[in-house]
Amino acid sequence: MLQRSSDYDHPPADEHTGTAVGRWSQPTVDLREMARILLRRWKIAAVAPAALVALALIYVMAADTLYTATSTVLVDPRRANVVDTTQTVLSNFGTDDATIESQTLLIQSVAILQRVVEKLKLTSDPEFSPEPGLLDPIKRLFRSSPPADGASPEDAATANSVDILQRRMKVTRQGTTFLVDINVSSEEPKKAATIANAIAEGYFEEQVRAKSDATRIAANWLNSQIDGLKSRVVSSERAVEDFRSANNLAVSQGVTVNDQQITDLNNKIIAARVQTAEAKAKYDQVQQLAKTGGDPGGINAALSSETIAKLRAQYADIAKNEADLSSKYGVRHPLVANVRAQLKDTQRLINDEIRRVLESTKHDYDVAKSREASLQQSFDQLQGVSSTSGQAQVRLHELQREAEANRTLYESYLARYKETTAQESLEMPDSRVVTRASVPIRPSSPKSKLILGLALMLGLGIGCVIAFLADYLDRRVKTLEQAENITGVPALAALPAIGARELAGRAKRGRNELEHYDPRTVRLLPPSLQPPLMRYAIDEPGTFFAEAIRAVRLSIQRTMRIQPIKVILVTSSLDSEGKTTLASNLALSLATLGIKTLLIDGDLRNPALTRALCPHADAGLLEVATGVAPLERAVHFDRNSGLSILPSPVVKNVDIITELMFSEQMGDILDHLRQRYELIIIDSPPLVPLVDGRALAELSDRIVLAVGWDQTPQEVLTHTIGLLGPVHDRILGTVLTRVDLSRLRFYDYYRSSAYLKPYGTASLGQGAAS
């Protein structure tokens, strides 16, 4: 905390890590730094959650307590049909998401809510008909559209009640199901359940009413169409009959008589042609046998004749008898001769029968040809008549089709009208209640825990953002690392702030010696009468404050071993940054080591060091430099510490001060003092507002820059380093002054009091008080 690690010789980090340093990149988000920001800005971060929680608490206490009742409705796509019809007038709605969402919006429609308001008489309920408030005129200014001038008070009251009911209800679909929840909130639990159930019933009534209206409209339209269709059917059928009578187009079994006769004759001609072909085939076979001399008994007609078959059977019996008699009596026996005569007669009869069959084939062929010719002649005559009446039949068919179409349309409308009339009194809703709303037992609003929790979480988020923003916008120097990064020179130490209570206690101890002090004989205040802070490092050597002064002293001693330096300038960017306290304690610390040290008050315009240590001095730096007073008279010696002090009494002529800083006299006096003292500490004026300090910086060997902790803006410190550009190589380092060690741990834990507590003593803890 009190001393930078750079005060000691350590090898650079890249010598140990090698190329690994180039590969590793520091994370952009440092969680530890974020935590430290919240800890050091906790008051700012706590304002937003405290305010929001307070507002949420006020809202919870002031808001009306509401109870929510829920009625669950099933939007059922399967609709019960009492009448056996294939299609309803208003068909069942679909099952897609858009349809279900449309039904959800329908439940919240003004038409249904108006019916509920009128049914439950909510216009007379104070909850749904609020009294005019003081803010109503202001609210009317922000309305999108003013109410209609012609609206009656009853309509306005109903509209207000509907508007309030819409805000008090919420209709939601359960996931992707057909279930819809109707949630209604009210100040009374029973009223909430009653309204929720009434909305569900109103929704069912609206469905039934819409279907009844659609069915009634369809029935009236169908009835008006039926009369016209009936007259069209009668006129079209009469036109068919009149045309048929005028053109002698008699109809039998749906076709004209002429067409029926043609069809019959055509069938007979086909049959006659088949018979003629069969007769011709038989005749051709007989002619072929006659030419070739073959046995005519082998033709099909002879084989199929029963008479020939009997004669052949008789012939076979006689031939068998002949064979028996011949073998028994011999061929010359009279019985054998008689049997042979019977065989000849039988053979003759067979031949006669065959001849008759052959003659009948020619007769059958002639008859078949004659019949076919007759039928063909009749068919040709009827076909001629049909061709002459074809044009009339085309027109007749056209009239028949028109009459049939009119009849079909009329029958369809008539059946639909009867079905619609039957459905008109049997319409049913497409939805049903799954769960009726019951009286709630616990309030649903306001949700105190949720509101307070959200307010707390939101407040914490806003508070954190504000804390981060405030820390980002705070450009004051807070850590030694910041001072190093801005100035480019080492940060030597952090000088703790001393508590006002402790300083006041030490000041009281010096009041006892005030009576023995005579400013006429003693120009330098005794240690007990000096401001406690001006010599705190030697009075309390075990404190963090003294440790920080020793760290700065160590840096000076190390530099003195390397280079012959004599003059150390202690300065700051602005006034009241603790440079005088730092210069006084640093000079005392060096003097206690036996180093012959001179402390010069170089701030001639505001000589705070002189006022603190020797307020009654009559000669100082200006008088010595101008030769008005000798050095021995102007320098005061502190016997307790061995420190020499060259004050600067107040100078009224400011022009002399400015010229003195840039004159050769100032350089000469410093050269003279270099020879008499080992080390000279100059308390310089601030660098930014005055040019005196910059002139002294060019006359000094080393510069120690005091930076007020949580006081000096980074931009001012950067500007100060720019002003010291010509002597930048002489800057020994920076010292943070008035550091609050308890807060420093939220910026730099390892240089705060928390890191040194294990090594601290009672005196250390006391000195760290702030």
Side-chain angles (χ1 to χ4, degrees):
M1 174 203 71
L2 303 177
Q3 182 173 329
R4 291 294 295 168
S5 60
S6 60
D7 292 341
Y8 302 98
D9 295 332
H10 295 289
D14 55 356
E15 294 180 6
H16 298 282
T17 57
T19 59
V21 176
R23 294 193 300 265
W24 183 83
S25 59
Q26 187 177 1
T28 57
V29 177
D30 190 346
L31 297 180
R32 291 178 298 180
E33 179 62 22
M34 295 175 66
R36 286 195 290 266
I37 291 175
L38 295 179
L39 288 175
R40 61 181 178 249
R41 304 285 181 177
W42 69 269
K43 293 182 179 179
I44 297 177
V47 171
L52 288 181
V53 169
L55 292 176
L57 189 60
I58 294 173
Y59 169 77
V60 169
M61 297 175 63
D64 296 331
T65 302
L66 299 179
Y67 296 84
T68 301
T70 302
S71 177
T72 304
V73 174
L74 174 64
V75 182
D76 193 355
R78 301 168 299 174
R79 177 175 177 270
N81 236 340
V82 178
V83 182
D84 184 16
T85 61
T86 58
Q87 186 180 3
T88 59
V89 174
L90 188 60
S91 60
N92 301 339
F93 45 76
T95 60
D96 58 323
D97 291 341
T99 303
I100 305 301
E101 294 297 334
S102 299
Q103 296 299 312
T104 302
L105 295 177
L106 177 62
I107 297 176
Q108 308 174 63
S109 63
V110 176
I112 294 177
L113 298 184
Q114 280 182 346
R115 189 177 292 110
V116 173
V117 169
E118 295 171 357
K119 180 180 180 181
L120 300 180
K121 298 180 180 179
L122 296 181
T123 53
S124 58
D125 191 333
E127 183 180 355
F128 293 91
S129 56
E131 297 295 332
L134 297 177
L135 299 179
D136 286 351
I138 300 176
K139 293 180 180 179
R140 282 195 291 269
L141 295 177
F142 296 96
R143 287 180 180 174
S144 58
S145 58
D149 296 336
S152 62
E154 293 79 8
D155 294 340
T158 302
N160 291 333
S161 299
V162 169
D163 184 55
I164 296 174
L165 181 57
Q166 283 181 329
R167 296 196 298 267
R168 290 290 183 87
M169 68 175 296
K170 183 179 181 181
V171 181
T172 57
R173 179 185 180 187
Q174 295 185 8
T176 57
T177 65
F178 298 137
L179 296 177
V180 177
D181 291 334
I182 303 174
N183 305 298
V184 178
S185 300
S186 176
E187 298 175 1
E188 301 177 10
K190 187 176 180 180
K191 187 192 298 182
T194 302
I195 295 176
N197 293 326
I199 292 175
E201 294 173 359
Y203 170 58
F204 299 153
E205 293 174 0
E206 178 64 20
Q207 284 187 339
V208 173
R209 185 196 62 78
K211 291 188 176 185
S212 298
D213 293 345
T215 303
R216 188 181 304 108
I217 294 173
N220 295 335
W221 183 81
L222 289 172
N223 189 27
S224 62
Q225 295 294 319
I226 285 175
D227 295 337
L229 290 174
K230 183 178 181 180
S231 60
R232 288 172 58 185
V233 169
V234 172
S235 61
S236 60
E237 290 182 347
R238 183 180 297 112
V240 171
E241 295 300 328
D242 292 344
F243 186 81
R244 183 181 289 118
S245 300
N247 292 274
N248 195 20
L249 298 174
V251 177
S252 175
Q253 298 180 354
V255 296
T256 61
V257 175
N258 188 39
D259 291 341
Q260 186 175 5
Q261 288 177 353
I262 291 176
T263 302
D264 293 341
L265 282 176
N266 188 42
N267 294 333
K268 290 180 180 180
I269 290 174
I270 294 172
R273 288 176 179 173
V274 172
Q275 292 178 358
T276 303
E278 292 178 355
K280 185 174 183 303
K282 293 179 181 180
Y283 178 71
D284 291 341
Q285 186 180 12
V286 171
Q287 292 297 323
Q288 185 66 25
L289 291 175
K291 293 179 180 179
T292 59
D295 183 10
I299 64 175
N300 292 333
L303 294 175
S304 61
S305 174
E306 294 181 359
T307 303
I308 296 176
K310 291 178 179 179
L311 289 175
R312 287 182 175 175
Q314 183 179 355
Y315 182 83
D317 292 339
I318 295 174
K320 181 179 179 183
N321 191 20
E322 178 189 6
D324 292 340
L325 292 176
S326 297
S327 61
K328 183 177 181 181
Y329 298 108
V331 294
R332 297 184 179 276
H333 194 278
L335 290 175
V336 174
N338 187 23
V339 171
R340 288 180 177 173
Q342 292 179 0
L343 283 175
K344 291 182 180 180
D345 292 337
T346 301
Q347 182 64 45
R348 181 178 55 77
L349 291 174
I350 290 173
N351 294 334
D352 292 341
E353 184 62 25
I354 290 173
R355 190 180 303 109
R356 186 185 64 77
V357 169
L358 294 176
E359 292 177 355
S360 66
T361 56
K362 184 174 186 313
H363 180 267
D364 292 340
Y365 173 63
D366 294 337
V367 170
K369 288 178 60 178
S370 176
R371 183 171 177 271
E372 180 184 355
S374 175
L375 291 173
Q376 184 65 41
Q377 183 179 2
S378 300
F379 179 80
D380 293 340
Q381 292 177 355
L382 289 176
Q383 197 170 19
V385 174
S386 177
S387 61
T388 57
S389 61
Q391 190 68 26
Q393 288 182 356
V394 171
R395 177 58 180 166
L396 177 63
H397 292 161
E398 182 180 352
L399 294 175
Q400 287 176 340
R401 285 192 298 270
E402 183 177 357
E404 185 64 25
N406 292 335
R407 187 183 304 106
T408 301
L409 185 60
Y410 170 74
E411 292 174 353
S412 174
Y413 273 54
L414 183 61
R416 188 67 179 140
Y417 171 74
K418 293 180 179 180
E419 294 169 0
T420 304
T421 304
Q423 292 175 9
E424 188 173 351
S425 59
L426 296 174
E427 291 294 347
M428 298 176 63
D430 293 321
S431 305
R432 59 185 177 87
V433 175
V434 176
T435 304
R436 290 183 61 83
S438 58
V439 178
I441 60 177
R442 295 185 180 86
S444 60
S445 176
K447 298 180 179 179
S448 305
K449 294 182 180 179
L450 179 61
I451 293 175
L452 293 176
L454 290 177
L456 179 61
M457 296 301 294
L458 182 61
L460 289 175
I462 296 176
C464 291
V465 172
I466 295 176
F468 290 139
L469 184 61
D471 193 82
Y472 175 77
L473 296 177
D474 187 358
R475 305 295 295 172
R476 292 172 294 184
V477 179
K478 299 291 196 308
T479 65
L480 297 174
E481 184 178 2
Q482 286 181 341
E484 284 187 352
N485 293 335
I486 296 172
T487 61
V489 297
L492 304 179
L495 197 63
I498 308 302
R501 182 179 301 178
E502 180 183 357
L503 294 177
R506 296 180 63 85
K508 288 180 181 179
R509 293 196 294 267
R511 292 179 181 176
N512 298 327
E513 300 182 9
L514 184 61
E515 298 177 356
H516 306 287
Y517 170 68
D518 186 3
R520 291 173 296 178
T521 60
V522 181
R523 292 179 297 172
L524 180 65
L525 291 176
S528 58
L529 295 181
Q530 295 177 8
L533 198 58
M534 302 302 291
R535 51 189 308 116
Y536 193 85
I538 61 174
D539 291 343
E540 299 290 341
T543 60
F544 292 158
F545 187 95
E547 187 71 18
I549 294 297
R550 286 193 289 268
V552 180
R553 184 186 68 185
L554 179 61
S555 299
I556 295 175
Q557 289 176 314
R558 184 185 300 112
T559 306
M560 292 175 63
R561 297 189 193 104
I562 301 174
Q563 297 177 357
I565 62 172
K566 291 283 188 175
V567 180
I568 305 297
L569 182 72
V570 179
T571 186
S572 63
S573 300
L574 303 172
D575 193 18
S576 301
E577 290 192 73
K579 61 179 179 57
T580 301
T581 301
L582 173 61
S584 175
N585 284 273
L586 180 60
L588 287 171
S589 178
L590 290 167
T592 56
L593 295 179
I595 301 175
K596 191 176 182 180
T597 306
L598 174 65
L599 176 61
I600 300 177
D601 188 354
D603 193 352
L604 302 179
R605 301 172 188 266
N606 183 23
L609 181 64
T610 302
R611 288 195 299 267
L613 300 181
C614 42
H616 300 288
D618 54 0
L621 177 63
L622 179 62
E623 288 74 14
V624 173
T626 56
V628 176
L631 180 63
E632 290 76 9
R633 178 188 169 191
V635 174
H636 304 279
F637 183 72
D638 185 6
R639 298 181 181 276
N640 295 324
S641 61
L643 177 65
S644 299
I645 302 172
L646 180 59
S648 293
V650 177
V651 179
K652 296 181 180 179
N653 191 350
V654 180
D655 297 335
I656 297 177
I657 298 174
T658 305
E659 296 300 330
L660 175 64
M661 293 302 173
F662 291 94
S663 65
E664 295 181 357
Q665 297 174 349
M666 181 59 68
D668 294 340
I669 188 62
L670 288 178
D671 291 339
H672 178 68
L673 293 174
R674 290 173 190 268
Q675 297 175 3
R676 297 187 59 178
Y677 294 93
E678 297 180 48
L679 201 61
I680 302 172
I681 305 297
I682 302 177
D683 179 18
S684 165
L687 296 174
V688 173
L690 301 174
V691 75
D692 303 351
R694 307 173 207 172
L696 289 175
E698 296 184 0
L699 300 176
S700 304
D701 297 329
R702 287 293 182 271
I703 302 170
V704 176
L705 183 62
V707 179
W709 182 85
D710 197 20
Q711 176 183 351
T712 305
Q714 298 180 16
E715 295 80 2
V716 173
L717 184 57
T718 303
H719 179 60
T720 302
I721 296 300
L723 295 177
L724 294 176
V727 292
H728 187 273
D729 56 335
R730 302 181 190 178
I731 302 176
L732 183 63
T734 59
V735 177
L736 289 182
T737 60
R738 300 178 181 178
V739 177
D740 187 347
L741 297 182
S742 62
R743 292 174 55 195
L744 182 62
R745 62 191 178 95
F746 299 130
Y747 295 93
D748 193 347
Y749 179 84
Y750 298 105
R751 299 186 183 92
S752 66
S753 59
Y755 185 60
L756 296 178
K757 280 182 180 179
Y759 307 96
T761 63
S763 60
L764 281 172
Q766 183 179 5
S770 59

